[in-house]
Amino acid sequence: MRFRPLRPASAPDSTPVAVADPPETMRAAVIDAAGGTDALHEATIPVPSPVLSELLVRVVAAGVNPIDAKTRAGAGVSGAITGYPTSLGYDFSGIVVRSPYESHPLPPGTQVFGMVPFPRSGGTYAEYAVVPSQSVARKPASLSHVEAAGVPLAALTAWGLVVETAHAHEGQRVLIHAGSGGVGHFAVQFAAYFGAHVTATGSARNASWLRELGASVVIDYTTTRFEDVIADVDVVIDLVGNVHAQTGDRSLKVVRPGGLYIVVPTGSFPGYADAAADTGVRATGYKVIPDGSALATVGRLLESGAVQVYIDRVFDLEDAAAAHAELEQGHTRGKIVLRVSDD
Ligand SMILES: NC(=O)c1ccc[n+]([C@@H]2O[C@H](COP(=O)([O-])OP(=O)(O)OC[C@H]3O[C@@H](n4cnc5c(N)ncnc54)[C@H](OP(=O)(O)O)[C@@H]3O)[C@@H](O)[C@H]2O)c1
């Protein structure tokens, strides 16, 4: 897993796909107001119009992320919703339909994956989306659109945590909570790839899989209190916070003095900065950045086989409510993806 050389560039998908002019309306999964999973329903809404440097993409598949469910329920980034009905969803894989100008490097027909602006209100649970051209990369040829749609938000979060914030390196001791989820399964792989010694928490059913991804140690959070078996780690990447069994407070006890604690779910550990200061630990939150350049690097790692995306379940667009119900169980392995349209 460590520094495995990348295969010579079998390039990302560069073969353009034929595209038709977009229609005026499209199918989307929308909400008319905040609510439970049944608030999410299929509707016909206008196809959005790109401006300036935006692309119009035809969405083939969209990732389903916890922030979508939080926003649907009236939390998350629901404050950014400017009107109803509104679609949800931040990441996608699909095909460019309109580019900003004639010789743009991502012309119509290019197969891309990426994110719409975050933390705005989303919109990839729909047949078309407008996307900043800086927030996409060419889809790796080795991945289907369904696989690629599971990558952008989760992998960019993991990249920002492991590479840009924790500066993962050989011998660094990293503890990753919820290593088997969407963000976690990328974080485990990136940290191991850069030579860190990775401990992940997860339930027993995911233990051997987490080791395959690169975790040296797996702690079953359902039977073992991690602070009983681990100490003096350099970095904790906390994808749980105090929403379960005071994971945040307990994590501060296992970081070495001067080490780093990163809490990821927004609002999951109020007061974490003061609590960390009291224990001599550096601490920060983190927000994903829709960075197409970092996504292109992640794409190369996927293309080379050094990193993999795991798709747990695929739902059709009209079953978006069922996808949210599944996600809200809290036990997704890897990613849930919506199939929006044909390739
Ligand atoms: N700030 C940001 O920019 C940002 C970006 C992305 C995500 N997030 C947040 O980060 C969190 C994780 O996101 P995600 O997409 O990775 O979620 P996810 O895919 O839904 O996570 C599911 C995984 O969590 C594991 N899990 C549940 N409770 C656990 C516990 N107490 N200890 C250890 N593992 C546990 C489950 O493993 P088992 O099945 O084995 O229980 C499951 O594999 C969410 O709250 C999300 O909103 C924030």
Side-chain angles (χ1 to χ4, degrees):
M1 183 66 68
R2 293 181 181 182
F3 295 96
R4 190 185 298 166
L6 300 184
R7 281 201 294 265
S10 86
D13 266 337
S14 52
T15 320
V17 173
V19 287
D21 284 341
E24 291 190 353
T25 60
M26 63 180 183
R27 289 166 57 237
V30 303
I31 55 172
D32 302 319
T37 56
D38 54 1
L40 199 49
H41 64 92
E42 195 178 328
T44 300
I45 61 173
V47 169
S49 298
V51 292
L52 299 175
S53 61
E54 288 177 333
L55 306 165
L56 178 69
V57 297
R58 182 166 74 73
V59 176
V60 177
V64 179
N65 293 284
I67 187 66
D68 307 345
K70 294 173 188 178
T71 301
R72 186 213 71 229
V77 293
S78 56
I81 294 174
T82 53
Y84 293 102
T86 189
S87 177
L88 301 173
Y90 288 101
D91 53 4
F92 74 95
S93 182
I95 298 156
V96 176
V97 174
R98 286 215 174 117
S99 302
Y101 50 87
E102 198 172 339
S103 54
H104 192 272
L106 299 171
T110 311
Q111 305 194 54
V112 292
F113 67 150
M115 284 183 68
V116 298
F118 179 88
R120 288 290 169 187
S121 62
T124 58
Y125 291 7
E127 289 177 309
Y128 293 86
V130 287
V131 193
S133 49
Q134 307 90 328
S135 299
V136 305
R138 288 172 184 264
K139 178 181 82 62
S142 58
L143 267 58
S144 67
H145 281 290
V146 163
E147 291 168 324
V151 174
L153 190 147
L156 285 174
T157 305
W159 188 262
L161 293 166
V162 170
V163 181
E164 293 167 357
T165 307
H167 303 145
H169 55 267
E170 188 75 34
Q172 185 186 52
R173 286 163 49 84
V174 183
L175 170 62
I176 300 171
H177 290 304
S180 48
V183 178
H185 87 299
F186 286 117
V188 167
Q189 294 180 83
F190 293 154
Y193 181 81
F194 286 103
H197 177 278
V198 179
T199 300
T201 61
S203 64
R205 77 185 178 98
N206 288 316
S208 59
W209 178 63
L210 282 164
R211 286 195 188 88
E212 283 170 30
L213 295 181
S216 299
V217 179
V218 179
I219 301 171
D220 180 353
Y221 74 92
T222 67
T223 58
T224 306
R225 290 179 73 78
F226 59 85
E227 66 270 37
D228 292 343
V229 293
I230 190 170
D232 284 329
V233 302
D234 297 304
V235 179
V236 174
I237 294 175
D238 185 358
L239 296 163
V240 177
N242 276 350
V243 295
H244 183 268
Q246 299 299 110
T247 299
D249 277 311
R250 290 159 55 216
S251 292
L252 292 175
K253 297 178 186 162
V254 305
V255 185
R256 68 164 171 79
L260 179 63
Y261 169 76
I262 314 172
V263 60
V264 187
T266 305
S268 63
F269 185 178
Y272 77 87
D274 289 343
D278 289 345
T279 55
V281 167
R282 292 176 297 133
T284 184
Y286 181 77
K287 288 281 177 298
V288 64
I289 300 168
D291 177 354
S293 173
L295 187 60
T297 304
V298 169
R300 285 218 64 200
L301 292 171
L302 288 158
E303 190 69 54
S304 75
V307 168
Q308 292 161 15
V309 56
Y310 184 91
I311 306 299
D312 192 346
R313 291 201 55 186
V314 182
F315 292 83
D316 289 330
L317 180 66
E318 56 265 36
D319 297 325
H324 274 213
E326 176 76 18
L327 179 101
E328 288 180 330
Q329 298 292 314
H331 297 293
T332 308
R333 175 187 282 187
K335 293 294 304 177
I336 294 173
V337 169
L338 290 182
R339 152 79 62 182
V340 176
S341 63
D342 293 334
D343 288 23

